Amino acid sequence: MLPPWRWLATAPCADSDHNDAVSLPEKVPIILALLEQTSTALLADVARLTEADMRAPSTLPDWSRAHVLAHLINQGDAYRRMAWGAAHGLTLQQYPGGRDQREAEIERNAGWPAEQLRVELERSTDELRTTLGTMPEAGWSHTVIRVNGPMPAWEAVQSRLLEVAFHHLDLAAGHTPGRWPGELTDLLLPDIAAGYERRTRAGLGERWLIG
């Protein structure tokens, strides 16, 4: 059974036509700051994991903690490629080989020793930070192709923020939602609630109010 927070992770990030209370130019720095905070917290906890800790189960079915970290490493590299493409006017795919590539890379890299997983996670995080830090303004609205479809680059980065936040919980290494920055909840809750309401209406044919 999935942990109780995982249904939240299936909620989409803001739709491109969503009437956001915060404009795009204001939202991007907020997303980047939160991504930095959540990534730093993740790296700090991962630094304490031993080899045995890495091989222990995560909260996700059939995934060890090493699988979760391998996924975050590979995904960080994929987001860096997509962001680089957006900065240069190119539309790049998250995984050119599709889900088969994604799964094969996770299985391969989950076998890395603990120290290599830590080093690669730090490298992937640093390289993504550098690429996002040099994104031209027009790049944020450029389309990238995530594994679940096209979206503007800024929305993909928000989705990376969500992935880091939730997969940190999936490590089952003592991190809790109570350690999230308050701004993270403020940013994501409207979209999580909207996604939950859409699924509820689709499944039951009625409207549920979140509040």
Side-chain angles (χ1 to χ4, degrees), residues 101-115:
Q101 175 191 343
R102 172 187 178 275
E103 293 170 9
E105 289 179 345
I106 290 171
E107 285 300 323
R108 180 194 67 204
N109 296 350
W112 285 343
E115 181 60 22

Side-chain angles (χ1 to χ4, degrees), residues 189-207:
L189 186 58
D191 298 308
I192 290 171
Y196 182 69
E197 182 181 348
R198 281 194 296 271
R199 290 195 303 278
T200 300
R201 283 188 295 176
L204 301 179
E206 61 184 32
R207 182 185 179 91

Side-chain angles (χ1 to χ4, degrees), residues 36-58:
E36 180 66 20
Q37 291 179 60
T38 54
S39 297
T40 298
L42 172 66
L43 288 167
D45 281 351
V46 170
R48 294 192 287 269
L49 297 180
T50 66
E51 188 67 45
D53 292 335
M54 291 291 191
R55 307 306 151 194
S58 72

Side-chain angles (χ1 to χ4, degrees), residues 63-80:
W63 272 19
S64 66
R65 290 181 176 125
H67 282 87
V68 174
L69 295 180
H71 169 54
L72 285 171
I73 292 164
N74 300 340
Q75 186 195 69
D77 289 340
Y79 274 69
R80 174 180 50 78

Side-chain angles (χ1 to χ4, degrees), residues 93-171:
Q93 297 183 46
Q94 182 175 0
Y95 300 110
R99 293 188 181 274
D100 287 344
Q101 175 191 343
R102 172 187 178 275
E103 293 170 9
E105 289 179 345
I106 290 171
E107 285 300 323
R108 180 194 67 204
N109 296 350
W112 285 343
E115 181 60 22
Q116 186 172 359
L117 284 164
R118 285 191 288 268
V119 169
E120 288 291 334
L121 181 62
E122 186 171 354
R123 174 202 57 76
S124 177
T125 300
D126 288 346
E127 292 180 357
L128 177 58
R129 179 193 302 114
T130 298
T131 301
L132 295 177
T134 58
M135 177 76 79
E137 184 175 348
W140 294 113
S141 298
H142 191 82
T143 298
V144 300
I145 303 177
R146 285 193 65 219
V147 69
N148 57 345
M151 63 181 60
W154 74 267
E155 190 174 328
V157 177
Q158 181 167 289
S159 118
R160 169 65 178 183
L161 166 61
L162 189 62
E163 290 271 343
V164 172
F166 281 108
H167 282 312
H168 194 171
L169 299 176
D170 291 327
L171 290 176

